[in-house]
Each structure stands twice: as structure tokens, then as C-alpha cells.
Amino acid sequence: HGFGGAPEAYGRLLTAWARHGFTIIAPLHVDSQKHPNRDATGQVAFLTRLEDLSVARAEAARTHPGKPLIVAGHSFGSLMSLIEGGAVTVAGPMGDPAVKGVIAFSSAGNIPNVVTPETYSTLAGPLLVITGDRDLVPGFADDWRDHRIPFDASPAGEKTLLIFAGADHQLPGTAEGARFDQIVQATEDFLDGYALNDASARARLQAFAADGVTVERR
């Protein structure tokens, strides 16, 4: 979840993924306003999230041994997912080979003192970035294009970027109607394509097109 957020903000999307057949593990991090012992300090949030996600991956391995793993996150949470997928920040490499792909909503872009110019150069696996042309976070992403940095700066190959016209920073939690259906379609094709190695799902994702959505691929 995003900084200060909670998994329930994405309840409809997580429910869709679960109904599609995937097990969802969604930690509540200490920076969340829902956390009983909240600590909103940036450094504490970063370090404790890394620990939380290590525990989550261990739980996934314990309860579903041998199963592939896709990581997904929104905003600050997307940075954590990108790290799990192979991006290297000042904290060093913390990727997990069990991760078969990353879904990043409103990626955190370049966070000073955390993200380096080389951070996304090691993000070699499949990546789906979803953002909007009104996706602004004052003081952190003053230009919506900041959210596309992991897509642009990572090695080419199996990378997809979806830009929803008029969509703001809360897109994954507030999308309705056809827009929500489009997000579900694209993300489930990504899940099937890279977690289950489903070639037809990868082909559907490669062919994805919708009114009001700009699609780029590398």
C-alpha cells in the first residue's frame, strides 16, 4: 500500500485477483494510519517495510511451496515491490528469485537518498507500470512522468506502461466501471502470463488497447 495507506484501499482489485485464483498476501505497514503503533518516519517506514516483505515472502513460501510470486504495490509500496523484483537502492540488493514479475501503480520514481541513477538498471524481469496523466504527488512527483521512470530506466524486454487519461494518484483504489475492468484485465493477464507462464495471456497483454489509455512497450 501507499505511504500512510492500507491494503483495504485496494480491496476490490485484490478481491478480483483472489477470485481469479491467486492467493493474496497484503501486509499492513507501520506507516499506515490504520497501524496500532504507527510510525510515520520515512526511514523507519522504509526499513520496516523491507522486513515486512521478507516475512510475507517467507509466509508465501511456507504456505505455497514452489509456487511463483508476483509482487504489486502502489506509490511508496511500488518502490518496495520493485526492490523485491530486483531494483537496487542505497539499501543494496534485496531481490528474490521467486518473484516472476512486478506490477507498479504510480511508481515512486526517484526518492532522494534512496533511489540512485542505477537503481532500475537491475530490474530485468517483467514489469507492468500503471499511472495517469494527472498522477501528481506534490513534493515527491510534481510531474506525472516521474512515475514512468522504472519503465524507462530498466532493461528492455517484457515491460509494459499504461497511462490512463485523466487518472490521478488514487487510480488503483478509485477506478470505476470500464476503467476498473481494464485494470483488472491487464493485471490478470500479467499475473497469468508471468506467474503461470501462459503464452496466450502474455499475447493478450501485448495486444491490450483501450480508449483513453496510452500503451507503451519495451
Side-chain angles (χ1 to χ4, degrees):
H1 60 74
F3 189 87
E8 62 202 58
Y10 320 99
R12 291 178 304 136
L13 183 58
L14 300 184
T15 297
W17 292 348
R19 287 175 176 167
H20 193 62
F22 285 84
T23 297
I24 309 300
I25 300 176
L28 179 71
H29 301 296
V30 72
D31 57 90
S32 172
Q33 296 182 48
K34 302 285 187 179
H35 199 286
N37 300 307
R38 188 186 187 210
D39 189 328
T41 307
Q43 183 176 9
V44 170
F46 181 70
L47 295 175
T48 57
R49 278 175 177 251
L50 291 174
E51 293 176 1
D52 290 345
L53 295 173
S54 177
V55 171
R57 294 197 308 274
E59 178 66 7
R62 183 186 70 81
T63 57
H64 295 76
K67 296 293 186 180
L69 187 67
I70 299 288
V71 291
H74 173 226
S75 193
F76 186 44
S78 76
L79 174 62
M80 313 313 294
S81 296
L82 291 160
I83 290 171
E84 293 179 279
V88 178
T89 66
V90 294
M94 295 189 176
D96 188 327
V99 173
K100 303 305 180 184
V102 179
I103 300 172
F105 290 94
S106 305
S107 82
N110 288 328
I111 299 179
N113 304 316
V114 175
V115 173
T116 75
E118 301 301 321
T119 285
Y120 300 115
S121 66
T122 50
L123 189 65
L127 171 66
L128 173 60
V129 176
I130 300 176
T131 186
D133 60 10
R134 294 185 183 177
D135 190 351
L136 305 177
V137 185
F140 292 94
D142 295 312
D143 186 330
W144 72 266
R145 296 170 185 83
D146 292 344
H147 299 299
R148 62 177 292 149
I149 290 174
F151 171 80
D152 292 326
S154 58
E158 308 293 345
K159 305 296 194 297
T160 303
L161 170 67
L162 305 182
I163 306 166
F164 284 78
D168 64 16
H169 195 60
Q170 304 307 322
L171 176 65
T174 60
E176 299 284 353
R179 178 158 288 184
F180 177 73
D181 293 341
Q182 290 158 1
I183 291 172
V184 171
Q185 174 190 339
T187 55
E188 289 185 351
D189 283 342
F190 185 90
L191 290 167
D192 290 346
Y194 296 109
L196 306 182
N197 197 28
D198 184 333
S200 61
R202 292 196 299 273
R204 289 194 300 271
L205 181 62
Q206 284 297 309
F208 178 90
D211 290 341
V213 185
T214 300
V215 184
E216 296 183 33
R217 300 179 176 90
R218 299 180 64 238

